[in-house]
Structures are given as C-alpha cells and as structure tokens.
Amino acid sequence: MSFAIRNLSRQVARAPSRFHAKPRTFATADKSITDSALERYIQEDKALTHHAQQTTDLWRKISFYVCLPAIAVCVAWVYNAEVEHAAHIEHIKHENGGELPEKPLYDHLNRRSKPFPWGNNSLFFNPHVNKDLSE
C-alpha cells in the first residue's frame, strides 16, 4: 500500500512540469537561418543520392565483371575435375570386369549403434557412390 501511495505522490509532483512547460520551438525565429538550414539539408540529400548512385554502379560493375567471370571459371574447373574423376572410375571398372573392386571393410567405417528410422543407409544414399549397408 505504501508503495502505491509513494508512486502516486511522485506522479502528482511531476505532473505540473509536464503540463505547464512551454511548447518547443526552434532556437531562432529568423527565417533566413531556417532557409539556409533547408538548403543545406537539400544539398546533403542530393550528395547522398549521388553517392548512392555511384556506389550502386560500382557494385553492379563488380558483380558483372568480377563475380560472374569468377563463377564461370569455377564451374569450368569443377566440371573438368568431375569429368576426369568419372573417366578414372570407368577405367577402374574396365580393369576389373565392369565392376568396382570391393572396398576393404575397416572397423571404423559405417559404424551404427542403432539403425536409422528409414533403414541402415543414410538419408542421402546413392547406390552408384555409397556402399549399400542394407545387406
């Protein structure tokens, strides 16, 4: 109860300062100063707009002349690496009668303490690349 009374008395003590304060105005009523401030604001806004246009143009050029060629080079490099890898796998198959040789069964590979809800193979199982553990 005493907390509510103390809080109410504080609000009552502060109330006159809120309701009887002068309305806020500019520090000066001189129209020439406010006009010059408006002109400065407009000039600054134009400068910011010009800077934004230049920056946008710079990043557009970086995107088209740096990023896109870099992506094309990376795509070509990965494509060549994957083609070489596929050719190597086909060569190994050809040497072994059309099948890949059996991989060694190391103890540390494909450990499962319990099966996945969908079976022994991982969710991203690919029969051309991964060993089928459902057997």
Side-chain angles (χ1 to χ4, degrees), residues 2 9 13 17 31 38 48 54 66 73 82 93 102 109 118 133:
S2 65
S9 65
S17 63
K31 183 146 176 67
L38 180 63
L48 285 172
Q54 287 179 332
V66 176
V73 167
E82 289 298 319
K93 284 182 180 179
E102 190 68 27
L109 294 177
W118 53 85
L133 297 175

Side-chain angles (χ1 to χ4, degrees), residues 14-71:
R14 292 179 185 156
S17 63
R18 278 189 278 168
F19 296 115
H20 299 295
K22 291 182 183 178
R24 292 184 178 179
T25 58
F26 289 111
T28 179
D30 187 8
K31 183 146 176 67
S32 64
I33 293 177
T34 57
D35 287 345
S36 66
L38 180 63
E39 289 173 11
R40 280 196 316 262
Y41 173 77
I42 291 171
Q43 288 175 352
E44 187 175 326
D45 186 52
K46 286 181 181 177
L48 285 172
T49 303
H50 180 70
H51 176 70
Q53 289 171 346
Q54 287 179 332
T55 305
T56 302
D57 189 47
L58 171 71
W59 281 105
R60 183 177 294 119
K61 288 177 183 175
I62 289 172
S63 297
F64 288 136
Y65 300 123
V66 176
C67 295
L68 289 179
I71 290 170

